[in-house]
Amino acid sequence: MSMSDPLADMLTRIRNAVMVKFDSVEMPKSNVKVNVAKVLEDEGFIAGYNVTDDGPQGTLTINLKYGTNGEPVITGIKRVSKPGLRQYAKAGAIPTVLNGLGVAIVSTSKGIVTDRTAREQNTGGEILCEVW
């Protein structure tokens, strides 16, 4: 079965796993998914990720992170740019998420970075998703 939007599938798997308080979630690996997982780990939204190269595509395992009382660190995750309607922004027009409490993940010419990093590097790009 071919998938039209693998990144949206990744975000939905994370959202569903957080809702039922799973420790980790597995999905097929791709370079974009691994880079998004790296940004999520750097920003402290997930505990970590692991890549295994089994089978033709490989597997990406994301270890989810919860607070001391069991509340999830990721309270919301949303796909912004979709295959049918891409969302691009210049460096000065990259939106802030919840007045800086959340993070927008942007695909720039210098790689997949956060909205803050893209503004610092003065590079625009495609706004992939928002996490808060």
Side-chain angles (χ1 to χ4, degrees):
M1 178 178 149
S2 67
M3 204 178 316
S4 64
D5 193 2
L7 186 59
D9 177 65
M10 172 190 180
L11 301 179
T12 300
R13 286 178 192 232
I14 292 172
R15 188 181 311 112
N16 291 342
V18 164
M19 285 172 41
V20 294
K21 299 195 184 310
F22 281 178
D23 291 332
S24 65
V25 61
E26 290 185 355
M27 63 202 69
K29 178 190 80 131
S30 74
N31 289 336
V32 173
K33 290 179 188 179
V34 170
N35 289 329
V36 169
K38 182 180 182 327
V39 170
L40 289 175
E41 182 183 33
D42 292 344
E43 291 297 311
F45 286 108
I46 61 173
Y49 67 95
N50 187 18
V51 177
T52 55
D53 290 324
D54 55 344
Q57 188 170 1
T59 304
L60 172 65
T61 305
I62 294 180
N63 301 318
L64 301 173
K65 190 174 182 180
Y66 297 95
T68 55
N69 296 330
E71 71 277 2
V73 174
I74 296 176
T75 57
I77 190 165
K78 182 178 83 164
R79 180 81 155 112
V80 176
S81 181
K82 300 177 171 108
L85 181 62
R86 300 287 184 188
Q87 299 291 325
Y88 297 98
K90 294 183 179 179
I94 295 175
T96 57
V97 181
L98 293 179
N99 291 326
L101 295 177
V103 170
I105 299 177
V106 183
S107 175
T108 68
S109 59
K110 297 180 180 176
I112 295 178
V113 295
T114 64
D115 54 348
R116 273 180 264 112
T117 308
R119 278 190 223 98
E120 288 170 5
Q121 294 176 347
N122 198 25
T123 57
E126 181 181 358
I127 303 167
L128 297 176
C129 61
E130 295 177 346
V131 185
W132 63 93

